[in-house]
Amino acid sequence: METLALTYGSLDEEDLKCLPWYPSLSQLKQLNLSHGALRFIRLEPLRALLEKVAATLQTLFLVDCGIGYSKLRVILPALSRCSQLSTFSFCGNLISMAALENLLRHTVGLSKLSLELYPAPLESYDTQGALCWGRFAELGAELMNTLRDLRQPKIIVFCTVPCPRCGIRASYDLEPSHCLC
C-alpha cells in the first residue's frame, strides 16, 4: 500500500495502534490523517507508524487534527526521521510560536522537503480568536527568518484558520495574503 487516508472522523486509538503491524504499510508513501481524525486520541501509535514508514513516506497531511503542542512533542522525533518527506501540511492545528519554532527545528534534516504548510501561531489571534493582521505578518517574517537560519526552504506557507465569512485561509509566504472578505 502506498497511500492511506483516514480523514473527516474520529480515529479509534486501537485502530491506530494496529496500523504499524500491517506489512502492506512498510512501503507507505502518502499518509493523510486530517480533519479531526486524531483529535481525541494519544499519538504514541502515530509515532510508531511514522517510525515504521520513515524511509518511504513522501507526503504527510495532518491538517485540522486538533494536535496541540503536547501531542506534537510525541511525534517530533519520528517526524524528524522521515528522510524522504517532500510535502508536509500541518495547517489548522492550534500551536504557539515556540511550538512552531520547535517543529521547524525538527525539520532541519529533512532535505527533500519542497512544500511545507504550517498553522499561524496562536499569538497571531486576539482573545476572541480574530486574526491580528499586523501580528500575523510580524510572526510570519520571524518564522521565515528562523527557518532560513536553519535551512533553505523551497515553498513554505503559514496559514490561518479558515475565515468564518468566506472559508478561505489567509496565508503568509513572503508577505501576508488576505482571505476574500
Side-chain angles (χ1 to χ4, degrees):
M1 180 184 309
E2 291 188 2
T3 301
L4 177 62
L6 302 168
T7 61
Y8 289 101
S10 185
L11 188 62
D12 185 280
E13 192 170 331
E14 292 303 315
D15 292 336
L16 189 58
K17 282 181 184 178
C18 295
L19 284 177
W21 301 107
Y22 285 97
S24 61
L25 290 181
S26 62
Q27 297 299 312
L28 192 67
K29 292 183 180 178
Q30 298 177 15
L31 179 60
N32 186 348
L33 299 174
S34 296
H35 306 291
L38 303 172
R39 191 167 308 277
F40 301 109
I41 63 174
R42 297 173 332 134
L43 294 189
E44 286 78 3
L46 177 57
R47 180 183 63 213
L49 177 60
L50 290 175
E51 288 169 351
K52 179 171 182 159
V53 300
T56 61
L57 192 65
Q58 297 171 3
T59 303
L60 178 59
F61 289 102
L62 300 173
V63 178
D64 296 323
C65 291
I67 298 177
Y69 186 53
S70 60
K71 284 186 170 185
L72 178 62
R73 288 187 314 192
V74 171
I75 63 169
L76 282 178
L79 177 65
S80 67
R81 289 193 289 276
C82 293
S83 60
Q84 301 303 307
L85 201 61
S86 62
T87 302
F88 178 52
S89 184
F90 192 66
C91 290
N93 295 291
L94 302 175
I95 59 174
S96 68
M97 181 73 169
L100 270 171
E101 288 173 334
N102 192 21
L103 173 55
L104 295 176
R105 282 183 178 78
H106 276 83
T107 64
V108 168
L110 303 180
S111 61
K112 295 192 179 200
L113 272 177
S114 58
L115 176 60
E116 304 168 70
L117 296 110
Y118 298 103
L122 285 174
E123 294 85 351
S124 300
Y125 302 93
D126 67 18
T127 55
Q128 285 78 40
L131 182 65
C132 300
W133 284 102
R135 187 75 176 132
F136 177 49
E138 178 185 315
L139 294 173
E142 190 176 324
L143 286 164
M144 289 295 231
N145 288 335
T146 298
L147 190 56
R148 286 188 189 109
D149 288 345
L150 298 170
R151 62 180 167 81
Q152 288 303 110
K154 293 175 180 73
I155 299 173
I156 183 165
V157 180
F158 296 94
C159 303
T160 65
V161 296
C163 172
R165 284 183 271 163
C166 69
I168 302 295
R169 293 179 194 267
S171 62
Y172 183 96
D173 48 14
L174 296 177
E175 54 188 59
S177 66
H178 299 266
C179 65
L180 300 175
C181 295

